[in-house]
Amino acid sequence: MADIIQLLPDHVANQIAAGEVVQRPASVVKELLENAIDAGATHIKLILKDAGKTLIQVIDNGKGMSVTDARLSFERHATSKIKSADDLFQLNTKGFRGEALASIAAIAHVELKTKQEQDEVGTCIVIEGSEVQSQDVVVTPKGTSLSVKNLFFNIPARRNFLKSNPVETRHIIDEFHRVALAHPSIGFVMYHNGSEVFNLPVSNYRQRIVNIFGAKTNEKLVPVEEDTEVLKISGFVGKPEFAKKTRGEQFFFVNDRFIKSAYLNHAIGSAFDGLLKDGAHASYFLNLTVNPQTIDINIHPTKTEIKFDDEHTLYAILRSAVKHSLGQFNIAPVLDFERDANLDTPYSYQQKGTPSVTVDSNFNPFAEEKTVSNTSSTASSSNTSFKKTPAANWESLYVGLESKGNNIQQDFSEVHFESEQQNASIFEDKKIEQKQSTYQFHNKYVVSTIKSGLLLIDQNRAHQRVLYEDFLKHITVKEGMSQQLLFPLELHFSPQEIEIIKQLQSDLEHTGFVFQKIEKEHVEITGVPVMVPESEVSIILEQLISDVENEVPDSNFSATDLLAKSMAKSLAIKTGQSLTAVEQEHLVNSLFACKAPSVSPTNRTTFVTMTVDELDKKFV
């Protein structure tokens, strides 16, 4: 039999590697930004068109590359970051595999312009699908400019898997946030379709957070600082009262590299234990500095997962540091048994004795006042004395009432009142008692009877279905009813969340929301839907933003449908809520008036039935 194993061509191997490294335009942005940081850049510019599908360009003022390095950088496993396997445990750079540029060049049109400071001219290389089209001398400033055009041009199937432009843009912004937060000492600028999205100057860490997430974020931050032999922690956590329903503002950086760690996230949650509402997640922006030899980064192609030598110690230190900061800044109560009780008294009053209080034992507020003579010079000269008339006794108020009463010659016994009208009836009056047909079980299910047996309804899912169809009708068929607020409601959001609200503004207005202003970092609402309480508005909008970000609707997905689902989920009757008999019956009737009563908006069962035969079998 002939040999069947063969070596794959380089361009095929690069396309296979691109499947791991380049999943979407955001992956390209991440790799190019990290390369610019490794090159020692102090200012980085990111330019996008059509959410990165048409163009991704990163321009930096780093050290640049020589002619040989520029050509070699597109070869597989070519890197300047490491030279041996031992270097993997002493990494101080972002990249080290040498696969990114080769993978990107295999699936896109790439143009590289680069120049070192000592060179007079630079190098321009054009590559299409791993094939070098040209290499020329070019005049370019110091640093590197790399343009990636027409991503996945030679892999149509991968291009079809990309989501809509707003969704891909949000993924790019997420990656941009992670890189920009890790390096506040570097200036970043981001443009999308010709408009400036971010302009982040060089600043400290707190100011970088505020520049990204809005000025309102400044009052939410609590500093966290801890320095031990094992771990150094610096950064901020959010105050419990500003916790959100989403996990959007949670960032861990280990040696200036963004990571995801459910274990360390649990440590933060444990530090906030008892301070957060149910379903709320604390915000945090924490930098962890550890010995590079105690971590392993070479686990996943995206390098967002890290293995630690001693996770339990890191967990304990992180939890204690956050808990200490919350107590130090009076966010959480602190039990200190060595507290000096004298500190409770202001220092200026510690040496003073107890103030004396004098009491006039002869004072009587009800005693009659004595006559006071006026000793003024005018009165003495005219020999005229003025005496104060004694105050009348309270009993004098009732003097003469008896005589007045005797003059009233009205006999109430002679007064006639109009009799009530008597309505004859041939039927006896009997109160009609309405029997209750529904019952609530464990404040979660509504039980009702049907001809064939028993009906068990999940009250939360059933109400979601009712509200979902009601919202769809208001949005698509007619204008929703709105109730005007006495005072405008002002809510603060990050610039990215404001963009999502702008995209959904028309649909929200159809449901009954009235927006007076939508500024860069806040919105002003003057009207809400009739069924929405004012206190729930911020929760509804936060949940809606989270659903838009997490459910990632593509171009075929209806934003109206998503809005109706999100609002129904926020306003539906919660599990554990007690319902009256009238509310139970109304819920049952409303559910079976829906077009699809058997499933919730998320395609989950709303009710189950149990026939009499099935019940009889339980007693066999």
Side-chain angles (χ1 to χ4, degrees):
M1 186 172 64
D3 298 332
I4 59 175
I5 297 177
Q6 57 182 351
L7 288 174
L8 291 175
D10 287 342
H11 69 279
V12 177
N14 288 336
Q15 287 186 4
I16 294 173
E20 294 181 349
V21 179
V22 184
Q23 301 170 359
R24 58 191 343 143
S27 305
V28 178
V29 171
K30 173 181 179 293
E31 297 293 343
L32 297 186
L33 289 178
E34 289 182 348
N35 282 345
I37 292 170
D38 288 339
T42 59
H43 189 273
I44 300 174
K45 184 183 295 184
L46 172 63
I47 302 173
L48 304 170
K49 285 186 180 179
D50 299 330
K53 299 175 184 176
T54 303
L55 172 67
I56 301 173
Q57 184 177 8
V58 173
I59 304 172
D60 66 70
N61 61 347
K63 56 187 177 183
M65 291 182 284
S66 64
V67 178
T68 305
D69 288 344
R71 183 64 177 266
L72 194 60
S73 64
F74 290 99
E75 299 294 329
R76 289 194 70 198
H77 308 304
T79 179
S80 61
K81 315 299 172 59
I82 62 174
K83 296 181 179 179
S84 65
D86 294 336
D87 294 338
L88 289 173
F89 297 96
Q90 295 178 354
L91 286 173
N92 293 312
T93 57
K94 301 292 184 182
F96 53 87
R97 286 199 178 93
E99 291 181 338
L101 289 183
S103 300
I104 293 170
I107 55 174
H109 298 165
V110 178
E111 182 184 43
L112 172 67
K113 293 181 181 179
T114 183
K115 184 178 86 72
Q116 293 180 327
E117 188 173 7
Q118 67 273 14
D119 296 336
E120 294 182 358
V121 292
T123 305
C124 176
I125 299 178
V126 178
I127 300 178
E128 295 181 3
S130 295
E131 295 182 3
V132 179
Q133 302 295 320
S134 64
Q135 179 172 344
D136 301 313
V137 175
V138 68
V139 177
T140 183
K142 173 207 169 188
T144 303
S145 171
L146 201 148
S147 303
V148 179
K149 304 174 183 177
N150 305 322
L151 195 65
F152 298 122
F153 79 98
N154 53 355
I155 312 179
R158 289 292 301 276
R159 191 173 180 87
N160 292 335
F161 280 120
L162 295 179
K163 304 295 183 181
S164 63
N165 285 356
V167 175
E168 295 297 341
T169 302
R170 282 195 294 273
H171 284 287
I172 291 175
I173 289 176
D174 287 342
E175 293 293 348
F176 183 82
H177 284 173
R178 294 166 182 176
V179 176
L181 283 172
H183 301 277
S185 59
I186 300 176
F188 290 88
V189 181
M190 175 178 170
Y191 296 93
H192 185 223
N193 291 336
S195 61
E196 184 180 275
V197 181
F198 289 100
N199 189 347
L200 308 176
V202 176
S203 61
N204 57 30
Y205 192 45
R206 188 184 193 115
Q207 191 62 44
R208 175 57 57 89
I209 296 173
V210 171
N211 289 338
I212 292 177
F213 295 101
K216 195 72 176 179
T217 313
N218 191 34
E219 64 185 66
K220 306 177 184 179
L221 301 178
V222 178
V224 178
E225 293 287 340
E226 191 65 47
D227 193 355
T228 66
E229 295 180 357
V230 181
L231 172 68
K232 180 181 178 181
I233 304 173
S234 64
F236 302 90
V237 295
K239 295 180 180 179
E241 59 265 30
F242 297 105
K244 294 186 176 182
K245 296 284 184 181
T246 62
R247 298 180 180 271
E249 297 180 0
Q250 295 184 340
F251 296 89
F252 273 126
F253 300 98
V254 175
N255 296 351
D256 294 335
R257 184 191 302 275
F258 173 79
I259 68 160
K260 296 178 181 178
S261 175
Y263 188 68
L264 296 182
N265 180 72
H266 188 273
I268 304 294
S270 179
F272 278 90
D273 190 21
L275 300 177
L276 300 177
K277 298 178 181 178
D278 292 338
H281 303 283
S283 302
Y284 53 81
F285 311 86
L286 296 176
N287 296 301
L288 311 181
T289 304
V290 298
N291 187 346
Q293 296 182 355
T294 63
I295 59 175
D296 186 5
I297 304 172
N298 192 22
I299 296 175
H300 195 272
T302 59
K303 298 186 282 287
T304 57
E305 298 178 12
I306 291 181
K307 280 188 177 180
F308 298 94
D309 279 356
D310 190 358
E311 282 188 331
H312 299 288
T313 302
L314 299 183
Y315 182 99
I317 296 174
L318 183 60
R319 178 181 177 274
S320 300
V322 174
K323 207 169 185 64
H324 175 70
S325 292
L326 293 175
Q328 185 179 10
F329 290 92
N330 296 326
I331 306 300
V334 179
L335 293 177
D336 187 0
F337 297 102
E338 298 180 357
R339 179 176 57 86
D340 187 358
N342 291 330
L343 296 179
D344 294 342
T345 305
Y347 295 111
S348 58
Y349 288 91
Q350 285 185 5
Q351 305 300 327
K352 294 183 179 181
T354 305
S356 59
V357 179
T358 58
V359 179
D360 185 4
S361 58
N362 296 324
F363 175 74
N364 184 0
F366 300 103
E368 295 184 5
E369 296 183 7
K370 296 180 180 179
T371 304
V372 180
S373 59
N374 193 341
T375 59
S376 63
S377 61
T378 307
S380 60
S381 63
S382 59
N383 296 326
T384 305
S385 63
F386 297 93
K387 294 184 178 181
K388 188 173 182 180
T389 306
N393 197 346
W394 63 271
E395 295 178 352
S396 63
L397 296 174
Y398 299 94
V399 175
L401 286 181
E402 295 181 358
S403 60
K404 292 180 182 179
N406 294 333
N407 295 332
I408 300 175
Q409 303 295 331
Q410 186 174 4
D411 189 0
F412 287 99
S413 62
E414 299 177 358
V415 177
H416 299 280
F417 296 95
E418 183 180 355
S419 61
E420 296 181 358
Q421 183 179 359
Q422 300 292 332
N423 293 327
S425 176
I426 60 174
F427 300 103
E428 296 180 359
D429 292 336
K430 290 184 178 179
K431 293 183 179 180
I432 302 174
E433 296 182 358
Q434 187 176 4
K435 295 183 179 180
Q436 184 175 348
S437 60
T438 58
Y439 301 91
Q440 194 175 22
F441 180 66
H442 276 248
N443 286 346
K444 183 176 183 180
Y445 300 104
V446 176
V447 183
S448 180
T449 57
I450 54 178
K451 290 182 179 181
S452 60
L454 202 64
L455 182 69
L456 197 63
I457 301 173
D458 187 308
Q459 65 184 31
N460 176 260
R461 297 181 187 178
H463 199 212
Q464 282 190 38
R465 166 53 63 178
V466 174
L467 293 177
Y468 169 71
E469 294 196 4
D470 189 46
F471 282 129
L472 278 183
K473 181 176 66 175
H474 284 308
I475 296 173
T476 59
V477 179
K478 60 181 180 180
E479 295 290 331
M481 298 293 291
S482 177
Q483 58 180 353
Q484 297 300 306
L485 300 177
L486 183 61
F487 300 102
L489 181 64
E490 186 172 325
L491 301 175
H492 293 267
F493 297 97
S494 66
Q496 297 73 45
E497 293 171 340
I498 292 292
E499 290 299 320
I500 296 176
I501 292 176
K502 286 181 179 179
Q503 295 171 13
L504 301 173
Q505 180 180 357
S506 60
D507 291 332
L508 285 169
E509 289 175 345
H510 289 164
T511 63
F513 282 97
V514 179
F515 295 93
Q516 184 173 357
K517 293 180 183 177
I518 299 183
E519 302 292 341
K520 186 177 181 181
E521 295 182 3
H522 73 276
V523 296
E524 198 169 293
I525 300 174
T526 57
V528 296
V530 175
M531 63 189 74
V532 177
E534 183 179 348
S535 59
E536 297 283 330
V537 173
S538 60
I539 299 175
I540 291 172
L541 292 181
E542 285 181 9
Q543 183 66 53
L544 175 62
I545 293 170
S546 173
D547 290 340
V548 172
E549 291 176 341
N550 297 331
E551 293 192 19
V552 287
D554 54 21
S555 57
N556 298 324
F557 192 89
S558 171
T560 301
D561 184 71
L562 174 63
L563 174 61
K565 283 182 180 179
S566 179
M567 292 185 64
K569 182 167 60 174
S570 299
L571 294 174
I573 298 170
K574 302 297 186 290
T575 298
Q577 182 175 344
S578 179
L579 303 178
T580 63
V582 177
E583 292 171 338
Q584 297 169 24
E585 188 172 353
H586 178 71
L587 178 61
V588 174
N589 294 336
S590 300
L591 175 63
F592 289 99
C594 295
K595 295 181 180 179
S598 59
V599 293
S600 69
T602 54
N603 292 323
R604 304 179 71 180
T605 304
T606 57
F607 67 88
V608 293
T609 57
M610 187 172 290
T611 64
V612 177
D613 293 338
E614 292 175 344
L615 287 173
D616 290 339
K617 292 178 181 178
K618 302 289 184 182
F619 295 94
V620 174

